[in-house]
Amino acid sequence: MNFTRWSARLPGTQRRAAARTESAVSPDRRGDGSVPAARAERSADGHPVPAVDVLPARDVLDRVPALVALVHGPDHRIGYVNDAYTTAFGTRPTGVPARDALPELAELGLLPLLDQVLRSGRPRTLKSRKAVDGRSYTFTCTPVTEDGDRDAGVLVFATDVTDHAEAAERLRASERRQRETAVTLQRSLLPQELEQPDDLRIAATYHPGGTEAAVGGDWYDVITLGGGRTALVIGDVMGRGVRAAAVMGQLRTAVRAYARLDLPPHEVLQLLDGLAAEIDANQIATCVYAIHDPNEGRLVYASAGHLPILVRDENGVVSRADEPTGPPLGTGGWMHSSGCVALGPGATAVLYTDGLVERRDADLDEGIAALAGALAGATGTPQVVCDRLVRSAGVTADHDDDVAVLVLQHPARTGPDGDLFRNGALELLGGVEAAPRARAFASGVLTSWRFPAELHDLGVLATSELVTNSLQHGTPPMRLRLRRTDRRLIIEVTDGDDHLPRRRRAEPGDESGRGIAIVATIASNWGCRRTPGGGKAVWCEFVLPKG
């Protein structure tokens, strides 16, 4: 076997380390593709330095730290293994097929690679494979030709890359730990259990990005505001990693705090906009904040650069709530505004982040249109709808972006279930005589709803106090509304004055100031808010006894 020919096919330092010839190459052989002999050089003291071509190839290969094996023929019979190979895997008999004599190569799946090298005549490399000796090697298989015979053999050259492999694994482990920390933080900041309001059925899902992507700042929340109203929010902090998750947690906490003020959606976003800039001026976030009022049958919302809400009505027609939309949170200098979309009985609404619809190879509008098409055919419970939308979007464990989806349904209740959800309203006309009319109306309604006597009396007393407070401190138009659900009784009085009452301690000589205190004492919860057209609403609620 002429080692000069095949050594010329080795890459880089491998070729230089392995190249040899048993004698100087004659001029008449330099045209057949062999490597010209290297010129002899002289050392500093004038003695000649031997050329590479005169170095004994076997001595060179026996001394290199890399593992070298030479196999030949279609069954890869062993022709040579160097000392490093013997040290690593033991003595290997020559002339025996590699399948029998080199089991370590078979376990690494290297034998099919040897076949490919023989067929193609091209070298192949198998990077960083862990062998039976516990060390990692990169294998380079190079065809060895003799007189044009490409089936002559294959030189297997294995470089020990254990240190590099271990360093890479340590880096991957560190990245996994960092990602797990971010995912744990992200999930801990999301609601562990969604609040379930009386009039809506709600489900949500969150899918972190794949293992190669750092977790983002997607979040969602459901907040019961009292009086039957529910706030729903979904958002996405730009950026990835622990920092994005931490910013998300601060924004979610702030949303819950601002929601307790019972402000209109655009005012909540206005407050969040300023807070986002204070938290981190270099990070921005998109957000949708919406409020559902069962008495109005609609969803009032405001958007800060977020994707449009999709709503499917009771007939299966999907509409898109595009306006109004302002810039993302943290940009500052924008006055947000609120819009509304119908959400009557039988309707389903979907709030989502861009990971569900955004793809590198498609326009964003195409993704939203595809989601709308999937929503049109997605029926069942909110959780079923969530799962179907995620599957239709092709979200898998290795998805490259976080995905958050919030689905809410306003069920159409009929029959016995519908009897548990009732409404009654009375316009409060006239002066002080409106109070006894309101008490009589409340008594009749509560009796028809078959409430127990104690709850009936408490409801009439709360109605009297709220109506009296409105007559004394409010302005027309005034309205009394009673609502029952399967879980609570809600009493609400609205008037045209926007001054919000507050609970205070009345002194013994005070002639007023006790009404709200009485309501707060007897009711399970109470509150007040300003209404969109001016004026206010004061409400209280009683939890119904079970059974």
Side-chain angles (χ1 to χ4, degrees), residues 141-487:
C141 301
T142 305
V144 176
T145 60
E146 178 66 22
D147 296 331
D149 181 8
R150 301 186 113 185
D151 294 335
V154 178
L155 182 75
V156 180
F157 193 91
T159 307
D160 190 336
V161 293
T162 304
D163 292 342
H164 296 285
E166 291 177 350
E169 179 56 33
R170 288 193 297 270
L171 178 60
R172 287 192 294 269
S174 175
E175 291 174 348
R176 285 195 299 268
R177 288 192 297 270
Q178 292 180 8
R179 184 178 183 278
E180 289 169 0
T181 299
V183 171
T184 301
L185 174 62
Q186 173 87 341
R187 291 195 181 278
S188 67
L189 293 174
L190 291 173
Q192 304 304 302
E193 185 176 352
L194 285 179
E195 297 182 26
Q196 293 293 334
D198 299 356
D199 295 274
L200 296 176
R201 292 186 297 182
I202 300 177
T205 186
Y206 169 73
H207 292 266
T211 55
E212 300 300 324
V215 66
D218 295 16
W219 92 92
Y220 56 82
D221 209 348
V222 179
I223 309 164
T224 53
L225 301 177
R229 302 165 74 249
T230 306
L232 306 115
V233 59
I234 194 165
D236 185 2
V237 177
M238 301 296 105
R240 295 184 179 275
V242 175
R243 180 58 183 167
V247 172
M248 175 275 288
Q250 295 177 76
L251 290 178
R252 176 176 175 254
T253 301
V255 169
R256 295 192 70 89
Y258 295 148
R260 300 305 175 193
L261 301 176
D262 214 342
L263 299 171
H266 65 276
E267 293 189 22
V268 172
L269 291 190
Q270 210 68 49
L271 293 172
L272 283 176
D273 185 35
L275 179 65
E278 294 177 8
I279 293 175
D280 190 339
N282 296 321
Q283 283 191 299
I284 60 176
T286 64
C287 179
V288 167
Y289 182 87
I291 296 176
H292 176 257
D293 190 334
N295 296 306
E296 298 177 356
R298 61 178 183 169
L299 202 62
V300 181
Y301 69 94
S303 175
H306 204 78
L307 300 172
I309 302 172
L310 298 181
V311 178
R312 187 189 67 206
D313 64 18
E314 65 276 12
N315 299 317
V317 178
V318 177
S319 59
R320 181 189 303 189
D322 286 326
E323 298 293 342
T325 299
L329 302 175
T331 55
W334 181 269
M335 294 300 295
H336 293 274
S337 57
S338 295
C340 67
V341 60
L343 191 73
T348 300
V350 178
L351 290 75
Y352 52 96
T353 57
D354 57 2
L356 187 65
V357 295
E358 191 174 37
R359 300 291 181 270
R360 291 189 178 95
D361 56 350
D363 186 76
L364 182 60
D365 285 335
E366 294 179 9
I368 297 175
L371 179 63
L375 176 60
T379 58
T381 66
Q383 189 60 58
V384 170
V385 174
C386 262
D387 296 340
R388 289 183 177 179
L389 294 181
V390 170
R391 286 198 303 270
S392 69
V395 177
T396 59
D398 58 352
H399 193 61
D400 61 357
D401 196 5
D402 290 31
V403 174
V405 184
L406 183 65
V407 175
L408 56 142
Q409 291 180 345
H410 187 184
R413 296 182 171 90
T414 57
D417 189 33
D419 293 337
L420 299 177
F421 292 80
R422 307 287 292 275
N423 286 279
L426 175 68
E427 300 292 337
L428 300 176
L429 304 176
V432 294
E433 67 275 9
R437 288 203 304 270
R439 286 192 292 269
F441 174 79
S443 178
V445 170
L446 298 181
T447 300
S448 69
W449 290 347
R450 298 179 182 179
F451 284 159
E454 181 181 0
L455 182 57
H456 172 279
D457 294 341
L458 290 176
V460 173
L461 176 57
T463 299
S464 177
E465 294 299 334
L466 291 181
V467 170
T468 300
N469 182 79
S470 182
L471 291 172
Q472 289 181 352
H473 304 289
T475 59
M478 301 178 184
R479 181 181 176 89
L480 168 66
R481 178 185 294 160
L482 284 81
R483 176 173 174 79
R484 72 153 296 169
T485 69
D486 58 344
R487 285 180 270 178

